[in-house]
Amino acid sequence: MSKPASDPGTGGADRELTMSRAMVDAVAAEMRASDDVFYMGEDVQDYGGIFDSTEGLLEEFGRDRIMDVPISETAYVGAAVGAAQAGMRPIAEIMFADFVGVCLDQVYNQMAKNTYMSGGAVNVPMVLTTAVGGTYNDAAQHSQTLYGLFAHLPGMKVVVPSTAYDAKGLMHAAIRDDDPVVYMFHKRLMGIGWMPAPEGPKTPVPEEDYTIPLGEADMKREGSDVTVVTLGLHVHRALEAAEELAGDVDVEVIDLRTLVPFDTETVVDSVEKTGRLVVVDEDYQSFGVTGEVTARVAERALGSLEAVERVALPDVPVPYSRPLENEVNPGADDIVAAIESIK
Amino acid sequence: MVGANTIQSMYEDMVTARYYEERLQEVYLEGKQPAFDISAGTIPGELHLAAGHEAAAAGVCAHLRDEDTVTAPHRPHHVAIAKGVDLPRMTAEILGRETGLCKGKGGHMHLFDPDVNFACSGIIAQGCPPAVGAAMAAQKRNEDSVAVAYLGEGAVDQGAFLESLNLAALHDLPVVFVVEDNDWAISMPVERVTDVENTAERADGFDMPGVRVDHDDAVAVYEAARDAVGRARDGNGPTLLDVQVHRRMGHFMGDAEGYRPDEDQERAQRLDAIERLADDLREHGVDDAELNEIRETAEERVEDAIEWARDQPEPAPEDAYENVFVDGTAAASGGED
Ligand SMILES: Cc1ncc(C[n+]2csc(CCOP(=O)(O)OP(=O)(O)O)c2C)c(N)n1
């Protein structure tokens, strides 16, 4: 590749990429660098991934390394576990996170536990990619994020990019990581023609490789009145809410970027400054991300904590019809309301 | 021999299903042009249409009664129509209306009509185990109802299907597995994902009869299904039925089929099970005027259903919190702010 180097620090502003292009960029670079990296998933060859997660890779790497697989998630996700333990760096894609149900054992009893159960004798350096999220009326079996489920089960790292820049850096980090990493990309952010993305995820992306360390949240917007902690699509909704309230409430927005490991410090520091916390999540409210973030803040900064609000899916399966899904999936207006209720 | 009345009734189901899909295609595109945005328009979300699959629906469901259970996959409308699902309410559901089969909560991949024991699911092969369960209930209660699980040829590589075959065979359960083989699983041709050429052979491994109907001829399906459903009803256990069908549209709406050779799509257009059945009817002395009348009646039925559905109200936002539990228990955080 004879592309000019650009500075990751300044974002190499020569080109803007969609999130899917940035993700593919990192996968391609890692595949060029090592024959141990290969990609398995349904419709990842000629289709390029239903959500463009492998667009263009087949042409460069061929069918041996970009592998269409039978609709047998247990077999191929488990095969990724085995290949990883044999020293390769496979990437396996579950088309929608919702489908993890059919292969959960390979994910949480094998992939996530083998390192620990073996006392560190083996490790599983694989990446599990999966599309998450709603907002387009695909109903209960195709709209979940399940962030909390993956983060709850110990032994896998969990990353959730919200911009193209992060998508690339997190993918490099995920593939190079010696542990299993679940890479959850939000469909609405990928920049797919048929599912328009909001403003924000398309960013300048440097040509060269760079990593974003797992476990570092990103301060998206500094503010002194209220801390909003969120991830994925809702980073953009939170920023929209913050903009709307600008001049009235000074809102700080933190993008978690990774759930495991979790950047407690950035969140706690912020709440110590603002005293007010709003946690926004597209996953179910109870027993999940919003509760976890709140608990961590309560454990470490209870004295600073004056008010908390959670904005998340209200523990119902995602309904199909537009007014119903709009009701349960938090919008910028819901975030505004939550901020105003505790400002 | 299959009688003229039977053929005619299958023909009615098939033309209804075909016209339904053609009209839904148009309704789906309302509000999605010129730019295709999946969340816009009269019907948002994914939509999987079954044009070219009708013979598998009509030929099997012709043997079923209301009390027989059918589970269908993500591509369910033709099966629903052949099973007698309430068409206006199904359409209202697909349009996300309050009076839809599922009050707008389910949508096109998750249709439930308990009046005719029909259900579908969007997760591959996951309708198989519940069909086995319905068959189990019938067996335990000494009823002669049967269950039919529909799935695509891509779904036969899923554990839920293979495990279901074994469980059903083990207990001689009254269930028929119907594979609709359209040669494609989204962009993946069948030969890319399995070395088994004939899905019906998979039944051998479970000591169960497997029957392949290798052209989508509703009469041939009807005859194969007569044996399979009869065997189940008589308490002689399950059958795997593998039916060749054709996908005349993209996998889902918006699929430009860039991966599919033109000849393959052309072949699907050419091999039309509906025209074949029309020929059969002509041989039975039904003339073109009568065929036209059947089609017009079917079209009217579909138009009425769509018109009715369009007039239905959308659900109220707060309805989202209902039906999590039967007894009305609120979801853990439901509705509170
Ligand atoms: C467990 C699971 N994996 C993947 C999918 C995504 N998916 C939906 S339809 C489909 C292809 C199904 O092909 P086939 O069973 O042959 O049925 P067809 O669509 O051709 O009717 C896939 C992979 C899913 N819904 N569930």
Side-chain angles (χ1 to χ4, degrees):
Chain A
M1 296 271 97
S2 58
K3 301 225 173 90
S6 49
D7 174 15
T10 61
D14 46 332
R15 56 168 198 171
E16 281 210 337
L17 296 186
T18 60
M19 213 169 89
S20 73
R21 291 314 310 162
M23 174 181 164
V24 167
D25 213 41
V27 173
E30 294 294 332
M31 287 186 72
R32 273 174 219 128
S34 166
D35 286 343
D36 285 333
V37 182
F38 65 104
Y39 205 112
M40 286 190 279
E42 292 145 13
D43 304 284
V44 299
Q45 290 185 340
D46 302 277
Y47 208 104
I50 297 298
F51 303 104
D52 291 356
S53 56
T54 58
E55 186 70 45
L57 292 175
L58 176 66
E59 289 70 18
E60 181 174 353
F61 299 104
R63 294 189 191 271
D64 280 348
R65 297 184 68 197
I66 301 297
M67 293 174 64
D68 265 356
V69 291
I71 310 173
S72 307
E73 284 83 356
T74 291
Y76 75 81
V77 170
V81 174
Q85 285 174 195
M88 297 194 78
R89 295 208 168 237
I91 305 170
E93 174 173 303
I94 299 178
M95 191 187 289
F96 290 66
D98 313 68
F99 307 162
V100 72
V102 304
C103 61
L104 191 57
D105 194 77
Q106 291 300 325
V107 173
Y108 88 121
N109 270 330
Q110 319 298 329
M111 180 185 88
K113 290 180 184 165
N114 284 357
T115 303
Y116 185 82
M117 291 192 300
S118 68
V122 304
N123 69 316
V124 191
M126 66 176 276
V127 179
L128 188 66
T129 55
T130 191
V132 304
T135 72
Y136 64 103
N137 309 101
D138 223 6
Q141 298 179 337
H142 290 73
S143 301
Q144 300 167 100
T145 65
L146 302 178
Y147 297 139
L149 173 73
F150 285 92
H152 176 68
L153 301 164
M156 46 191 155
K157 297 177 179 173
V158 179
V159 312
V160 184
S162 72
T163 67
Y165 183 85
D166 288 353
K168 174 163 166 162
L170 288 170
M171 180 57 86
H172 275 295
I175 295 171
R176 293 176 195 180
D177 204 283
D178 290 332
D179 286 308
V181 179
V182 184
Y183 185 101
M184 310 181 83
F185 54 88
H186 199 292
K187 294 162 233 172
R188 177 63 79 192
L189 297 179
M190 290 293 267
I192 313 155
W194 46 272
M195 198 187 296
E199 291 280 309
K202 192 171 180 185
T203 63
V205 176
E207 299 270 0
E208 75 273 21
D209 303 355
Y210 60 94
T211 58
I212 291 174
L214 306 191
E216 278 188 14
D218 188 26
M219 181 67 73
K220 286 290 187 201
R221 187 183 199 280
E222 292 198 29
S224 53
D225 295 337
V226 176
T227 300
V228 177
V229 176
T230 186
L231 73 171
L233 172 67
H234 285 72
V235 170
H236 305 283
R237 293 191 169 179
L239 288 169
E240 193 187 324
E243 232 16 79
E244 200 177 315
L245 291 167
D248 180 17
V249 192
D250 195 14
V251 179
E252 183 144 301
V253 177
I254 295 172
D255 175 1
L256 288 170
R257 291 201 295 200
T258 66
L259 286 172
V260 181
F262 188 93
D263 185 353
T264 308
E265 199 184 315
T266 299
V267 174
V268 167
D269 286 354
S270 174
V271 176
E272 279 173 343
K273 177 174 70 178
T274 63
R276 293 175 165 80
L277 173 65
V278 175
V279 194
V280 183
D281 183 17
E282 197 184 330
D283 197 3
Y284 305 118
Q285 174 158 316
S286 296
F287 313 102
V289 172
T290 56
E292 182 61 30
V293 173
T294 307
R296 282 178 189 242
V297 171
E299 281 166 351
R300 287 166 182 80
L302 192 56
S304 315
L305 194 56
E306 291 166 49
V308 184
E309 273 292 315
R310 297 199 269 167
V311 187
L313 248 72
D315 299 335
V316 303
V318 180
Y320 162 63
S321 183
R322 205 173 267 131
L324 301 180
E325 187 182 6
N326 287 347
E327 169 68 15
V328 302
N329 194 321
D333 53 336
D334 296 311
I335 302 171
V336 166
I339 294 168
E340 283 190 318
S341 76
I342 62 165
K343 71 177 180 195
Chain B
M1 266 306 288
V2 182
N5 286 347
T6 301
I7 299 179
Q8 177 164 335
S9 129
M10 290 194 293
Y11 184 75
E12 286 164 7
D13 281 346
M14 289 170 67
V15 293
T16 306
R18 175 69 59 84
Y19 188 70
Y20 191 71
E21 302 297 58
E22 288 169 354
R23 287 292 287 121
L24 277 195
Q25 185 170 32
E26 291 166 5
V27 175
Y28 185 81
L29 289 173
E30 286 169 11
K32 292 194 186 69
Q33 285 160 327
F36 185 98
D37 174 350
I38 189 172
S39 40
T42 309
I43 304 174
E46 287 177 77
L47 186 67
H48 311 80
L49 300 177
H53 283 222
E54 297 88 354
V60 175
C61 291
H63 300 282
L64 302 182
R65 314 166 181 158
D66 285 355
E67 57 278 18
D68 296 328
T69 292
V70 167
T71 62
H74 55 288
R75 198 181 300 291
H77 306 158
H78 59 314
V79 183
I81 286 168
K83 185 63 172 68
V85 168
D86 185 316
L87 197 61
R89 291 188 63 217
M90 168 165 126
T91 311
E93 185 58 33
I94 295 167
L95 269 62
R97 304 307 164 108
E98 188 185 14
T99 47
L101 285 174
C102 315
K103 303 180 193 165
K105 292 195 166 89
H108 114 100
M109 284 189 276
H110 320 103
L111 301 163
F112 294 81
D113 188 351
D115 288 346
V116 295
N117 292 301
F118 176 89
C120 57
S121 167
I123 312 292
I124 291 305
Q126 305 306 314
C128 295
V132 169
M136 203 178 260
Q139 190 186 59
K140 287 191 186 307
R141 290 167 164 171
N142 277 320
E143 293 165 356
D144 72 348
S145 60
V146 304
V148 176
Y150 277 87
L151 64 158
E153 92 294 332
V156 302
D157 299 318
Q158 185 68 221
F161 167 66
L162 297 163
E163 294 178 29
S164 295
L165 290 185
N166 189 50
L167 186 58
L170 175 68
H171 293 292
D172 292 323
L173 294 174
V175 54
V176 180
F177 300 92
V178 180
V179 175
E180 296 179 271
D181 178 3
N182 66 9
D183 301 320
W184 294 92
I186 312 185
S187 69
M188 304 193 299
V190 62
E191 62 275 9
R192 189 179 299 162
V193 292
T194 183
D195 279 346
V196 182
E197 270 179 35
N198 179 347
T199 293
E201 281 170 15
R202 292 187 188 233
D204 298 350
F206 299 94
D207 200 16
M208 174 194 299
V211 179
R212 164 100 182 144
V213 180
D214 63 6
H215 48 310
D216 62 348
D217 173 353
V219 173
V221 177
Y222 179 89
E223 287 175 332
R226 179 169 50 205
D227 295 344
V229 173
R231 195 175 116 81
R233 234 187 259 298
D234 294 345
N236 295 322
T239 301
L240 172 59
L241 214 58
D242 174 29
V243 180
Q244 182 69 56
V245 296
H246 296 95
R247 202 181 84 191
R248 297 169 67 92
M249 296 175 171
H251 169 76
F252 37 30
M253 289 295 299
D255 174 10
E257 298 194 306
Y259 51 82
R260 186 173 181 182
D262 290 345
E263 313 84 74
D264 190 76
Q265 179 54 270
E266 282 157 23
R267 198 167 53 98
Q269 299 301 324
R270 204 170 55 242
L271 300 176
D272 188 349
I274 292 184
E275 283 175 19
R276 187 198 301 258
L277 206 60
D279 287 342
D280 288 346
L281 282 173
R282 287 190 192 96
E283 273 174 31
H284 279 91
V286 179
D287 63 24
D288 282 353
E290 288 169 285
L291 288 176
N292 266 343
E293 202 181 304
I294 294 172
R295 275 199 301 273
E296 274 165 22
T297 307
E299 289 177 13
E300 226 167 274
R301 199 181 148 215
V302 170
E303 294 298 347
D304 288 350
I306 293 173
E307 200 179 303
W308 184 81
R310 283 189 198 275
D311 284 344
Q312 299 305 301
E314 290 194 312
E318 57 273 20
D319 292 351
Y321 305 101
E322 282 173 13
N323 304 121
V324 178
F325 298 108
V326 174
D327 65 3
T329 299
S333 61
E336 76 183 38
D337 264 317

